Amino acid sequence: MTLLSVNLNKIALLRNSRGGGVPDLKSFAEAAIAAGVRGLTVHPRADARHITLDDVVTVSQLAAVRDGSVEFNIEGDLRPELIRLVETVRPDQFTVVPVTPGEVTSHRGWRAYDDHAALTEVVHRLDGIRIATFCDAEPQSCRLAISCGVQAIELYTGPYAYAFALGAHQTTLSALAAAGAQIKDAGLRLNGGHDLSLENVPPLLARVPFDEFSIGHQLTADALTLGWTPALQRYLAVVEGRETKAA
C-alpha cells in the first residue's frame, strides 16, 4: 500500500503571512494523524517562508512521530544548518532537493552539475536515516542519485501533473513508469511528489508502484472547500487505492 505523507508547508505559509501562531501547525499535524495519515513532510527553506527550523523540532516531538507510528520526512537542500538539524532530530527520511536561487517551488530533480560528493557524504554521515533524492523521471538523473548511495528516490511528478491537466499525459506517465522500473530494479524505495491531486493520482498508481507520495499544495487547497479532515480522508482513500477517482 502506498504511504501518504502530508506536506505541511502551506499551513505554515498561511501562518507566516500574518505572523503569530494561526493556523497552528502542530494542531493540523495532529489532526492529520487522527485522520489516519501515517506520514508527515516538511521542507524548511533557507528563507523560512513557510516551515521554520523550529517547526521541524515541533513535528519531530509529536508522540506518533517519536514512537514510530508516523513517518517523518524532512525535505531540503544540503546547507549545513539543515544537515545539523536532521542529524539531531533523526527523521525517518531526509529527502535531498536541489534548490535554484529565487525559485517559487521545486522545479527540477538531481542533475549532473549538482554536488554528488556532498550527497555521498551526507548518506554516510546520516547513517540510519533513509536518504532520498528528488529526481527527474529521466535515466541519468536517477542514475546519478543511485551512484551516491541513496536508499530512495522521489520522482518529480510536476511535468506529469501539468500534462494531465491538458489531457496529454501519456508520454510523461510512460517516463515515470520507466524511471520507476529503474529505481525498483536498483532495489530502492520509490517516492513521488509535486502537484499531485485526487484526479491525477489514480492513473499514476495504475502504472507505477510508488511506495510513498508527498502531497501538500493541492490537498491544502482542497481542504478550503472540503475541510481539513475530509480532504485528508479523500486523499488517503485515493492514495491507498480505496477510491479510484474523485467523486
Side-chain angles (χ1 to χ4, degrees):
M1 182 182 295
T2 307
L3 174 77
L4 171 62
S5 189
V6 172
N7 189 309
L8 298 167
N9 288 3
K10 292 303 160 54
I11 303 300
L13 182 67
L14 180 59
R15 176 200 62 196
N16 294 356
S17 71
R18 184 74 173 186
V22 178
D24 178 60
L25 187 82
K26 181 181 177 183
S27 296
F28 274 79
E30 290 173 335
I33 294 168
V37 167
R38 291 295 172 260
L40 296 173
T41 290
V42 294
H43 185 161
R45 287 181 174 268
D47 62 8
R49 63 178 180 256
H50 38 62
I51 294 293
T52 66
L53 298 184
D54 285 340
D55 289 329
V56 175
V57 175
T58 295
V59 176
S60 75
Q61 293 176 343
L62 293 171
V65 171
R66 291 200 313 271
D67 70 19
S69 57
V70 169
E71 281 214 349
F72 186 28
N73 173 44
I74 299 175
E75 298 180 341
D77 57 1
L78 294 171
R79 66 186 191 276
E81 68 270 22
L82 181 57
I83 300 303
R84 287 194 296 270
L85 182 58
V86 171
E87 195 169 32
T88 299
V89 304
R90 300 200 63 81
D92 299 282
Q93 180 171 266
F94 177 47
T95 302
V96 178
V97 182
V99 171
T100 302
E103 68 183 13
V104 174
T105 186
S106 304
H107 67 280
R108 70 168 180 88
W110 199 251
R111 302 277 174 87
Y113 44 79
D114 288 311
D115 195 336
H116 310 298
L119 177 57
T120 302
E121 180 184 350
V122 162
V123 170
H124 293 293
R125 177 175 171 178
L126 301 180
D127 185 45
I129 298 171
R130 184 193 310 129
I131 307 300
T133 304
F134 197 58
C135 288
D136 299 310
E138 186 272 324
Q140 185 186 29
S141 181
C142 298
R143 187 163 53 246
L144 288 167
I146 292 168
S147 72
C148 293
V150 301
Q151 295 89 32
I153 286 177
E154 178 178 336
L155 288 177
Y156 173 39
T157 55
Y160 161 75
Y162 178 78
F164 183 90
L166 299 176
H169 57 282
Q170 292 304 320
T171 297
T172 53
L173 183 55
S174 294
L176 286 165
Q182 178 187 3
I183 294 162
K184 286 292 190 178
D185 287 346
L188 274 62
R189 181 182 178 90
L190 175 58
N191 302 339
H194 216 277
D195 293 330
L196 295 175
S197 69
L198 293 170
E199 290 74 26
N200 62 34
V201 162
L204 186 55
L205 277 178
R207 287 283 304 275
V208 189
F210 282 98
D211 295 298
E212 175 185 316
F213 282 140
S214 174
I215 306 179
H217 180 81
Q218 188 61 54
L219 191 160
T220 307
D222 288 339
L224 293 175
T225 53
L226 297 173
W228 183 240
T229 296
L232 292 165
Q233 292 170 338
R234 286 290 304 279
Y235 274 84
L236 278 168
V238 167
V239 168
E240 293 175 357
R242 292 180 284 109
E243 182 178 325
T244 57
K245 64 180 180 178

